[in-house]
C-alpha cells in the first residue's frame, strides 16, 4: 500500500483551520462581538508589551548585562504585573471619568442624540446661517437636499434615543474581552500541539500580527488627532471668544471616528465644521481652516499607513470598507481594514498573492 505524501495528508487540516477561522470571524460580525474581539487583541498585545518593558526594567535593576534573546519568554513576575496593570487600568480610567464627568459618561447617548438634532437644525437653517452674499448662490434644489439630510440625521438621533444607557453594558463586555486577552498573554504555551491546533495557532498568530500592524497604528493616529482637536476646541477657539456647543461629545467623536481610516476623519471634519457654522460663519471658517491646516492630507496619510503595511491601494481599502459597511453596518467600517489585511497576509503566506 502506497502512503500518501505528508503535504497531501495535512491539506484537509489546513483547509479546516481556514474554515474555522472564517466562521469565527463571520460569527463575530453577525453577533455584534467585534468590540470584544478587538479588546481581546488589545489586552493580549498590551500585556505582552508591558511584560517586555517590566522584564527589561527588572534586568536593569539586577544589573544583568546580557540582553534577552529575541522572542525569549519574559519572567513570570513581569507577566503577572503586566496582566494586573492591563486589567486594573480601565477601572482606574472609568473611576476618573465618573469623578470628573459623571453626567457625560452616563448620558453619552443622550448627548449624541442632541448633537444630531442640533446638526439637523443647522442644516435646515443653512441659508440663515450663511452671509446673504453667499446664501444667494445656493441652488433652489438645495432646500430639498437639506430636508433629506436633516431627516436622516433625526432618524439616527431617534435610534440613539432607544439605546439609552445600554452602551454601558457594551463597555462591560469590552472589559471582559480585555481580561480574556491579558490572561491569554500570560498563559503557558503548550509544548506540543495536534495538527489542527497547530494550524489554528498559525492563523491566530497571523491575525494578531495584522492587528498589531493595522489597528495599533490607527489607534495612535486617532489619539493624536483627538489631542490636536482638543487643544483647538478647548484652548485656541476660546482665545478668540469662540466656543462650540457639545465640545466633549465632539472630542470623543474625533477619537472614535478616527479609528476608521479615511471615512472617519472626513465625517468628523464635516461635523465640526457644521457645528461651527451653527455658531457663526467666522467660527465655521476657523474650524475649516484648522482642519485643512492639520488634516489637509490626513485621509491620504491614513490610507498610506494602512496601505503600506498591507499592500492595499486607497481605492481598494475604500471599496472593502464600503462593502463591509453595507453588509455589517458601522461595525463593518472598523473591521474591514483588519479583516482584509489579514486575508491578504494569509494569501501571501500561501504564496497566492
Amino acid at each position: 500500500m502506497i502512503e500518501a505524501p505528508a503535504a497531501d495528508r495535512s491539506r484537509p487540516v489546513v483547509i479546516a483551520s481556514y474554515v474555522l477561522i472564517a466562521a469565527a470571524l463571520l460569527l463575530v460580525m453577525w453577533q455584534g462581538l467585534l468590540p470584544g474581539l478587538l479588546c481581546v487583541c488589545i489586552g493580549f498585545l498590551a500585556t505582552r508589551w508591558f511584560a517586555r518593558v517590566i522584564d527589561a526594567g527588572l534586568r536593569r535593576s539586577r544589573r544583568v548585562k546580557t540582553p534577552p534573546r529575541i522572542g525569549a519568554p519574559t519572567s513570570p513576575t513581569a507577566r503577572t504585573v503586566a496582566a494586573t496593570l492591563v486589567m486594573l487600568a480601565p477601572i482606574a480610567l472609568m473611576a476618573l471619568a465618573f469623578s470628573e464627568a459623571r453626567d457625560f459618561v452616563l448620558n453619552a447617548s443622550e448627548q449624541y442624540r442632541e448633537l444630531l438634532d442640533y446638526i439637523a437644525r443647522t442644516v435646515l437653517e443653512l441659508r440663515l446661517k450663511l452671509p446673504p452674499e453667499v446664501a444667494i448662490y445656493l441652488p433652489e434644489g438645495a432646500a430639498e437636499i437639506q430636508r433629506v439630510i436633516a431627516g436622516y440625521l433625526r432618524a439616527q438621533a431617534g435610534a440613539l434615543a432607544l439605546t439609552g444607557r445600554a452602551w454601558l453594558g457594551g463597555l462591560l463586555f469590552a472589559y471582559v474581552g480585555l481580561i480574556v486577552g491579558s490572561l491569554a498573554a500570560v498563559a503557558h504555551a503548550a509544548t506540543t500541539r495536534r495538527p489542527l491546533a497547530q494550524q489554528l495557532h498559525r492563523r491566530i498568530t497571523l491575525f494578531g500580527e495584522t492587528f498589531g500592524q493595522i489597528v495599533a497604528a490607527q489607534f495612535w493616529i486617532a489619539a493624536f488627532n483627538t489631542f490636536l482637536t482638543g487643544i483647538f476646541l478647548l484652548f485656541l477657539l476660546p482665545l478668540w471668544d469662540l466656543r462650540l456647543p457639545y465640545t466633549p461629545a465632539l472630542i470623543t467623536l474625533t477619537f472614535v471616528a478616527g479609528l476608521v481610516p479615511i471615512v472617519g476623519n472626513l465625517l468628523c471634519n464635516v461635523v465640526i465644521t457644521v457645528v461651527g457654522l451653527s455658531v457663526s460663519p467666522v467660527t465655521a471658517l476657523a474650524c475649516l481652516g484648522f482642519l485643512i491646516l492639520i488634516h489637509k492630507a490626513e485621509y491620504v496619510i491614513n490610507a498610506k499607513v494602512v496601505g503600506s503595511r498591507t499592500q492595499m491601494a486607497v481605492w481598494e481599502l475604500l471599496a472593502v470598507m464600503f462593502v463591509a459597511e453595507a453588509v455589517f453596518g458601522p461595525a463593518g467600517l472598523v473591521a474591514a481594514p483588519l479583516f482584509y489585511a489579514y486575508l491578504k497576509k494569509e494569501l501571501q503566506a500561501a504564496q497566492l498573492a
Side-chain angles (χ1 to χ4, degrees), residues 264-332:
N265 184 53
L266 293 175
L267 169 67
C268 187
N269 292 353
V270 170
V271 169
I272 292 178
T273 303
V274 172
V275 173
L277 181 61
S278 70
V279 176
S280 69
V282 174
T283 307
L285 287 176
C287 293
L288 186 60
F290 166 79
L291 296 172
I292 291 175
L293 179 64
I294 302 299
H295 308 298
K296 59 181 179 179
E298 187 169 316
Y299 68 97
V300 176
I301 295 173
N302 286 358
K304 287 186 176 180
V305 168
V306 176
S308 64
R309 295 169 182 262
T310 60
Q311 290 76 51
M312 286 191 294
V314 176
W315 67 267
E316 190 177 2
L317 179 59
L318 284 173
V320 171
M321 290 170 63
F322 288 141
V323 170
E325 195 277 336
V327 177
F328 299 110

Side-chain angles (χ1 to χ4, degrees), residues 85-172:
L85 181 63
V86 170
M87 288 188 284
L88 293 181
I91 297 178
L93 291 176
M94 285 299 296
L96 178 63
F98 267 83
S99 63
E100 298 297 328
R102 184 175 181 275
D103 290 338
F104 177 74
V105 174
L106 290 177
N107 300 310
S109 60
E110 181 68 18
Q111 289 278 334
Y112 284 105
R113 185 190 67 80
E114 294 178 3
L115 176 61
L116 287 176
D117 275 334
Y118 187 82
I119 295 174
R121 291 196 303 270
T122 302
V123 170
L124 287 174
E125 299 169 359
L126 187 59
R127 287 182 181 271
L128 300 177
K129 298 291 184 181
L130 291 174
E133 57 273 15
V134 176
I136 60 175
Y137 290 102
L138 288 176
E140 292 300 325
E144 182 60 29
I145 297 176
Q146 290 172 237
R147 284 192 290 272
V148 171
I149 295 175
Y152 173 79
L153 292 172
R154 283 175 170 161
Q156 300 304 312
L160 274 178
L162 296 177
T163 61
R165 300 183 183 182
W167 74 279
L168 290 175
L171 284 180
L172 178 61

Side-chain angles (χ1 to χ4, degrees), residues 47-83:
T47 302
R48 287 289 178 90
W49 184 83
F50 279 121
R52 289 194 297 268
V53 172
I54 294 170
D55 191 60
L58 291 174
R59 294 177 66 86
R60 284 196 298 268
S61 65
R62 296 169 184 168
R63 298 182 179 179
V64 178
K65 296 182 179 180
T66 305
R69 302 188 315 274
I70 297 176
T74 53
S75 66
T77 302
R79 293 197 298 270
T80 302
V81 173

Side-chain angles (χ1 to χ4, degrees), residues 222-272:
F224 183 68
N225 292 346
T226 305
F227 175 73
L228 293 179
T229 304
I231 290 177
F232 176 72
L233 296 180
L234 295 175
F235 299 103
L236 295 183
L237 277 182
L239 288 178
W240 303 327
D241 290 328
L242 300 174
R243 290 176 175 80
L244 296 188
Y246 305 102
T247 295
L250 290 174
I251 293 175
T252 307
L253 176 65
T254 301
F255 177 75
V256 176
L259 296 175
V260 182
I262 308 174
V263 178
N265 184 53
L266 293 175
L267 169 67
C268 187
N269 292 353
V270 170
V271 169
I272 292 178

